[in-house]
Amino acid sequence: AQSVTQLGSHVSVSEGALVLLRCNYSSSVPPYLFWYVQYPNQGLQLLLKYTTGATLVKGINGFEAEFKKSETSFHLTKPSAHMSDAAEYFCAVSLMTTDSWGKLQFGAGTQVVVTP
Amino acid sequence: NAGVTQTPKFQVLKTGQSMTLQCAQDMNHEYMSWYRQDPGMGLRLIHYSVGAGITDQGEVPNGYNVSRSTTEDFPLRLLSAAPSQTSVYFCASRGLASYNEQFFGPGTRLTVL
């Protein structure tokens, strides 16, 4: 079974500062990894995903994440926070096995607040 | 394309009442799923389907039923609502391959009194 841990349920960053959201996973087989963003009163939207190949993945809105197998991590970063980045962010993992049907396991989420 | 649509957006039920949350997608996706979102717990999978006529349980299936008679529709039924089912419910769909992006509906906020 896989699991996902997001460190920090709330993160406050200043506008223009680095955004760093941490995600660690456990999985017995190679995983697919995703970051989703949820704006208030909306559904989730994909930011980026890692499947295979390059371990540094670029997504929308200037976000990127690096898959580190040795650390079982998939941390999300953005060099310079914007007010519009205020949202809740979810890390998720699915397995590369046909019998799992790619069911997503989500972390608990990290609420990002951006201060002027 | 409308993507994934859900109705209703809001619903208040009394304990013991039944209702169906509707979900439809127009992207011809084989895989559809229902999640519930509760504070501090992320999203938890209730039921999922990999095609018409095929459904299976997720992490928290108790108290919920599903069926999939068409590719487009995947309704979620609460047979006898309980206060513990107060939550925000999201429907999602994707292509069958595990690496595909899931597309989420806007959610249904359910309160059970």
Side-chain angles (χ1 to χ4, degrees):
Chain A
Q2 70 269 32
S3 66
V4 181
T5 302
Q6 290 183 240
L7 296 178
S9 59
H10 287 81
V11 169
S12 182
V13 297
S14 300
E15 191 175 17
L18 171 72
V19 180
L20 170 60
L21 304 183
R22 300 179 187 273
C23 174
N24 288 88
Y25 69 90
S26 66
S27 173
S28 57
V29 298
Y32 297 124
L33 296 161
F34 304 81
W35 275 100
Y36 283 86
V37 61
Q38 184 181 31
Y39 299 104
N41 300 314
Q42 294 186 26
L44 279 70
Q45 176 184 355
L46 182 69
L47 271 179
L48 49 79
K49 66 179 180 181
Y50 169 79
T51 55
T52 58
T55 56
L56 182 62
V57 180
K58 295 186 185 300
I60 62 172
N61 301 337
F63 284 93
E64 63 182 36
E66 186 171 12
F67 170 56
K68 292 187 176 180
K69 184 178 179 180
S70 61
E71 299 177 7
T72 61
S73 69
F74 192 54
H75 301 332
L76 181 71
T77 60
K78 181 174 180 177
S80 177
H82 191 273
M83 298 299 290
S84 61
D85 294 326
E88 190 158 21
Y89 293 80
F90 293 93
C91 182
V93 60
S94 70
L95 300 184
M96 298 182 188
T97 57
T98 53
D99 59 350
S100 72
W101 293 109
K103 294 191 291 289
L104 282 180
Q105 182 74 38
F106 283 89
T110 299
Q111 184 71 47
V112 172
V113 174
V114 183
T115 57
Chain B
N1 286 354
V4 180
T5 58
Q6 291 183 238
T7 55
K9 292 190 184 303
F10 301 94
Q11 184 70 50
V12 179
L13 293 177
K14 294 181 179 179
T15 297
Q17 286 185 317
S18 63
M19 79 160 296
T20 299
L21 307 184
Q22 301 292 343
C23 174
Q25 53 94 6
D26 61 0
M27 296 173 282
N28 203 30
H29 286 163
E30 299 97 333
Y31 184 97
M32 296 186 72
S33 53
W34 276 101
Y35 297 87
R36 59 177 290 172
Q37 183 179 26
D38 302 292
M41 304 188 74
L43 277 76
R44 293 181 292 168
L45 182 65
I46 304 172
H47 286 286
Y48 68 100
S49 168
V50 297
I54 307 170
T55 64
D56 205 349
Q57 297 180 350
E59 182 183 355
V60 289
N62 292 343
Y64 308 96
N65 279 355
V66 293
S67 60
R68 183 99 178 265
S69 57
T70 67
T71 299
E72 294 78 18
D73 300 298
F74 191 44
L76 178 72
R77 282 182 288 276
L78 285 71
L79 299 179
S80 178
S84 61
Q85 294 178 304
T86 294
S87 187
V88 181
Y89 291 85
F90 289 99
C91 180
S93 74
R94 64 166 166 81
L96 199 56
S98 302
Y99 52 76
N100 283 318
E101 171 186 358
Q102 284 210 77
F103 292 86
F104 285 82
T108 295
R109 187 173 295 273
L110 176 68
T111 301
V112 183
L113 302 175

